[in-house]
């Protein structure tokens, strides 16, 4: 884990936000860059949220970045810049749930509390044969009891980290490495020869979604809009875009959206880029059209604000990865420098 070695509570605190929903290997380079830019909780609290989002770009689940930034502000204002050391104070911070609080308390303060995340639940459900993965009802209560009973009073932080490491590197979701696992001789799933049959998987249905986006130019600038802070990709900048309703024509939908949501009358021109990507249970097809302003004035009804941005300024804006990708393709194609 990234905080192994000499423990800095602030480093652990940041890492715990980044590690929610994301694997260690993905987090590490982000964590290094982040701690270099914001070496203390005070530096983080003093930063603009846009700077924080820019460094988070690509890591996803952006509410974590906003929560971390808000939490830093609260820690500076209410705890004199020290990371809190009680469960109640930790849980009162935005984005800190039971797992992060327990990890913080056991690793930084030596309290014998179980830190149960998805990795630990997977190990428990395999070792004790909980077919549903200990996620619901009685199984969940049993998993919590088993987890708490297993935590030693000595070095509980080391124990929790060992379980996290084991889940991340040995008892992996698919093809666990049982031959090197220290729990092999007490693992019921291994004894039954079916280690990765648990937890039983529920396949989520994927749905197809079509989105059209506008590349609106004014001289050598193009229009970006900033998403509201709440919700997916909150606070990030993007090309104005709209999800198509069943059977809706792309150009007409885009033209109506720009008029209603942004107060701009546009002529929709040629398709200039396209990209397919997935988010959780959606397969998204994004198509971008060149648009020319024919009238109106920029007024943001759904977004925080809109801005006309030069190609060379794009690197300073936090964008969702798909929008960054299509913009790179389009801007490089028309000779945008330095992007
Ligand atoms: S023996 Fe295999 S399934 Fe059981 S805990 Fe170890 S890695 Fe996981």
């Amino acid at each position: 884990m990234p905080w192994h070695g000499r423990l800095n509570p602030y480093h652990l605190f940041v890492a715990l936000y980044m590690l929610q929903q994301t694997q260690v290997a993905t987090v590490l380079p982000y964590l290094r860059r982040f701690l270099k830019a914001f070496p203390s909780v005070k530096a983080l609290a003093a930063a603009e949220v846009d700077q924080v989002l820019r460094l988070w770009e690509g890591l996803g689940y952006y509410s974590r970045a906003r929560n971390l930034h808000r939490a830093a502000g609260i820690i500076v204002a209410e705890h004199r810049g020290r990371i809190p050391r009680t469960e109640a104070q930790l849980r009162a911070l935005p984005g800190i749930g039971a797992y992060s609080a327990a990890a913080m308390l056991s690793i930084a303060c030596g309290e014998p509390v179980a830190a149960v995340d998805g990795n630990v639940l997977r190990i428990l459900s395999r070792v004790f044969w909980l077919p549903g993965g200990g996620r619901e009802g009685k199984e969940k209560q049993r998993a919590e009891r088993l987890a708490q009973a297993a935590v030693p009073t000595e070095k509980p932080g080391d124990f929790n980290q060992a379980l996290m490491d084991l889940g991340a590197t040995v008892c992996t979701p698919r093809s666990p490495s049982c031959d090197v696992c220290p729990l092999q001789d007490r693992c019921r799933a291994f004894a039954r020869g079916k280690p990765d049959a648990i937890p039983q998987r529920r396949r989520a249905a994927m749905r197809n979604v079509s989105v059209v986006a506008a590349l609106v130019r004014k001289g050598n600038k193009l229009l970006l809009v900033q998403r509201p802070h709440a919700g997916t990709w909150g606070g990030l900048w993007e090309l104005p875009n709209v999800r198509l309703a069943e059977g809706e024509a792309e150009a007409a939908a885009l033209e109506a959206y720009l008029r209603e949501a942004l107060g701009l009358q546009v002529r929709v021109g040629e398709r200039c880029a396209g990209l397919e990507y997935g988010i959780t249970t959606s397969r998204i097809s994004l198509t971008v059209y060149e648009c020319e302003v024919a009238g109106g004035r920029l007024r943001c009804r759904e977004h925080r604000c809109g801005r006309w941005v030069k190609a060379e300024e794009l690197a300073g804006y936090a964008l969702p990865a798909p929008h960054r990708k299509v913009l790179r393709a389009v801007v490089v194609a028309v000779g945008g420098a330095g992007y």
Side-chain angles (χ1 to χ4, degrees), residues 89-251:
Q89 287 174 339
L90 281 166
R91 297 278 309 258
L93 296 172
I96 293 285
Y99 166 76
S100 299
M104 200 70 215
L105 289 171
S106 63
I107 298 169
C109 312
E111 285 195 26
V113 284
V116 183
D117 69 346
N119 283 335
V120 174
L121 259 191
R122 186 168 59 251
I123 298 171
L124 288 170
S125 61
R126 287 173 176 170
V127 170
F128 295 100
W129 193 262
L130 309 174
R135 287 181 291 228
E136 285 165 2
K138 289 213 165 112
E139 258 197 11
K140 185 168 185 252
Q141 291 168 4
R142 179 150 182 245
E144 283 166 0
R145 274 199 311 276
L146 289 164
Q148 192 52 49
V151 182
T153 48
E154 254 187 54
K155 299 193 178 175
D158 286 2
F159 176 83
N160 281 337
Q161 288 180 79
L163 271 192
M164 293 172 200
D165 279 350
L166 193 73
T169 59
V170 175
C171 193
T172 47
R174 286 169 218 279
S175 310
S177 308
C178 302
D179 48 341
V180 295
C181 177
L183 298 176
Q184 192 198 84
D185 61 353
R186 63 178 69 192
C187 177
R188 294 192 191 161
F190 176 77
R192 293 180 191 205
K194 298 179 189 167
D196 58 4
I198 288 196
Q200 289 158 354
R201 287 184 184 85
R202 288 173 284 194
R203 215 174 262 285
M206 292 295 280
R207 62 201 172 107
N208 294 319
V209 175
S210 298
V211 175
V212 277
L215 188 78
V216 191
R217 294 185 198 272
K218 187 156 98 178
N220 63 347
K221 297 180 178 174
L222 53 89
L223 178 61
L224 289 187
V225 288
Q226 188 179 28
R227 295 177 72 99
H229 274 316
T232 312
W233 291 339
L236 268 62
W237 294 80
E238 62 183 8
L239 294 171
N241 66 88
V242 62
R243 179 183 289 210
L244 288 181
E246 187 82 32
E248 204 175 11
E250 294 183 339

